[in-house]
Coordinates of all heavy atoms in Angstrom, one line a residue:
C1 N 54.0 15.0 62.6 CA 54.7 14.3 61.6 C 54.0 14.6 60.3 O 54.7 14.8 59.2 CB 54.8 12.8 61.8 SG 55.9 12.4 63.1
H2 N 52.7 14.6 60.3 CA 52.0 14.9 59.0 C 52.2 16.4 58.5 O 52.4 16.5 57.4 CB 50.5 14.7 59.2 CG 49.7 14.9 58.0 ND1 49.8 14.0 56.9 CD2 48.8 15.9 57.7 CE1 49.0 14.5 56.0 NE2 48.4 15.6 56.4
V3 N 52.2 17.3 59.4 CA 52.4 18.7 59.0 C 53.8 19.0 58.6 O 54.2 19.5 57.6 CB 52.0 19.7 60.1 CG1 52.4 21.1 59.8 CG2 50.5 19.5 60.3
R4 N 54.8 18.6 59.5 CA 56.2 18.8 59.2 C 56.7 18.0 58.1 O 57.4 18.5 57.2 CB 57.0 18.4 60.5 CG 58.5 18.5 60.4 CD 59.0 19.9 60.1 NE 60.4 20.0 60.0 CZ 61.1 19.9 58.9 NH1 60.4 19.9 57.8 NH2 62.4 20.0 58.9
G5 N 56.3 16.7 58.0 CA 56.9 15.9 56.9 C 55.8 15.7 55.9 O 55.4 14.5 55.7
A6 N 55.4 16.7 55.2 CA 54.3 16.6 54.3 C 54.6 15.7 53.2 O 53.7 15.1 52.5 CB 54.0 18.0 53.7
H7 N 55.9 15.5 52.9 CA 56.3 14.6 51.8 C 56.6 13.2 52.3 O 56.9 12.3 51.5 CB 57.5 15.1 51.0 CG 57.3 16.4 50.4 ND1 56.4 16.7 49.4 CD2 57.8 17.7 50.8 CE1 56.4 17.9 49.1 NE2 57.2 18.6 49.9
I8 N 56.3 12.9 53.6 CA 56.6 11.6 54.1 C 55.2 10.8 54.1 O 54.3 11.3 54.8 CB 57.2 11.6 55.5 CG1 58.5 12.3 55.5 CG2 57.3 10.2 56.1 CD1 59.1 12.4 56.9
P9 N 55.1 9.8 53.3 CA 53.8 9.0 53.3 C 53.5 8.5 54.7 O 54.3 8.2 55.5 CB 54.1 7.9 52.4 CG 55.2 8.2 51.6 CD 56.0 9.2 52.5
L10 N 52.2 8.4 55.0 CA 51.7 8.0 56.3 C 52.2 6.6 56.6 O 52.6 6.3 57.8 CB 50.1 8.0 56.3 CG 49.4 7.6 57.7 CD1 49.9 8.6 58.8 CD2 47.9 7.7 57.5
K11 N 52.2 5.7 55.6 CA 52.7 4.3 55.8 C 54.2 4.4 56.3 O 54.6 3.6 57.1 CB 52.5 3.5 54.6 CG 53.0 2.1 54.7 CD 52.9 1.3 53.4 CE 53.4 -0.1 53.6 NZ 53.4 -0.9 52.4
M12 N 54.9 5.3 55.7 CA 56.3 5.4 56.1 C 56.5 5.9 57.5 O 57.3 5.4 58.3 CB 57.1 6.3 55.1 CG 58.6 6.3 55.3 SD 59.3 7.2 53.9 CE 61.0 7.1 54.3
N13 N 55.7 6.9 58.0 CA 55.6 7.3 59.3 C 55.4 6.2 60.3 O 56.1 6.0 61.3 CB 54.7 8.4 59.5 CG 55.3 9.8 59.3 OD1 56.5 10.0 59.4 ND2 54.4 10.7 59.0
R14 N 54.3 5.4 60.0 CA 53.9 4.3 60.8 C 55.1 3.2 60.9 O 55.4 2.7 61.9 CB 52.7 3.6 60.3 CG 51.5 4.4 60.6 CD 50.2 3.6 60.3 NE 49.1 4.5 60.0 CZ 48.3 4.4 59.0 NH1 48.5 3.5 58.1 NH2 47.3 5.3 58.9
T15 N 55.7 3.0 59.7 CA 56.8 2.0 59.7 C 57.9 2.4 60.5 O 58.5 1.6 61.3 CB 57.2 1.8 58.2 OG1 56.1 1.4 57.5 CG2 58.2 0.7 58.1
I16 N 58.3 3.7 60.5 CA 59.4 4.2 61.3 C 59.1 4.1 62.8 O 59.9 3.7 63.6 CB 59.7 5.7 60.9 CG1 60.3 5.7 59.5 CG2 60.7 6.3 61.9 CD1 60.4 7.1 58.9
L17 N 57.8 4.4 63.2 CA 57.4 4.3 64.6 C 57.5 2.8 65.0 O 58.0 2.5 66.1 CB 56.0 4.8 64.8 CG 55.9 6.3 64.7 CD1 54.5 6.8 64.8 CD2 56.8 7.0 65.8
N18 N 57.1 1.9 64.2 CA 57.2 0.4 64.5 C 58.7 0.0 64.6 O 59.0 -0.7 65.6 CB 56.5 -0.4 63.4 CG 55.0 -0.3 63.5 OD1 54.4 0.1 64.6 ND2 54.3 -0.6 62.4
L19 N 59.5 0.5 63.7 CA 60.9 0.2 63.8 C 61.6 0.7 65.0 O 62.5 0.1 65.6 CB 61.6 0.6 62.5 CG 61.3 -0.2 61.3 CD1 61.8 0.5 60.0 CD2 61.9 -1.6 61.4
L20 N 61.2 1.9 65.5 CA 61.7 2.5 66.6 C 61.4 1.7 67.9 O 62.1 1.6 68.8 CB 61.2 3.9 66.8 CG 61.9 4.9 65.9 CD1 61.2 6.3 66.0 CD2 63.4 5.1 66.2
K21 N 60.2 1.0 67.8 CA 59.9 0.1 69.0 C 60.9 -1.1 69.0 O 61.3 -1.5 70.1 CB 58.5 -0.4 68.8 CG 57.5 0.6 69.1 CD 56.1 0.1 68.8 CE 55.0 1.2 68.8 NZ 53.7 0.7 68.3
H22 N 61.3 -1.6 67.8 CA 62.2 -2.7 67.7 C 63.6 -2.3 68.1 O 64.3 -3.0 68.8 CB 62.2 -3.3 66.4 CG 63.1 -4.5 66.2 ND1 62.7 -5.7 66.7 CD2 64.3 -4.6 65.6 CE1 63.8 -6.6 66.5 NE2 64.7 -5.9 65.8
Y23 N 64.1 -1.2 67.6 CA 65.4 -0.6 67.8 C 65.3 0.3 68.9 O 65.8 1.5 68.8 CB 66.0 0.0 66.5 CG 66.3 -1.0 65.4 CD1 65.3 -1.3 64.4 CD2 67.4 -1.8 65.5 CE1 65.6 -2.2 63.5 CE2 67.6 -2.7 64.5 CZ 66.7 -2.9 63.5 OH 67.0 -3.9 62.5
N24 N 64.9 -0.1 70.1 CA 64.7 0.8 71.3 C 66.0 1.0 72.0 O 66.7 0.0 72.2 CB 63.6 0.2 72.2 CG 63.2 1.1 73.2 OD1 63.4 2.3 73.1 ND2 62.5 0.6 74.2
I25 N 66.4 2.2 72.3 CA 67.5 2.5 73.1 C 67.1 3.3 74.3 O 66.0 3.8 74.4 CB 68.6 3.3 72.3 CG1 68.0 4.6 71.8 CG2 69.2 2.4 71.2 CD1 69.1 5.5 71.1

């Protein structure tokens, strides 16, 4: 995620991962 999404802040990556836990399918 860090290499591919160089413009995505680390906090945003963590937030997305946390939200994926909540919106689990």
Side-chain angles (χ1 to χ4, degrees):
C1 289
H2 180 70
V3 172
R4 172 67 178 97
H7 298 295
I8 298 175
L10 183 60
K11 180 180 177 184
M12 190 170 179
N13 269 335
R14 284 191 205 129
T15 303
I16 291 169
L17 289 173
N18 288 338
L19 288 169
L20 285 172
K21 290 176 191 172
H22 180 78
Y23 292 98
N24 193 14
I25 57 174

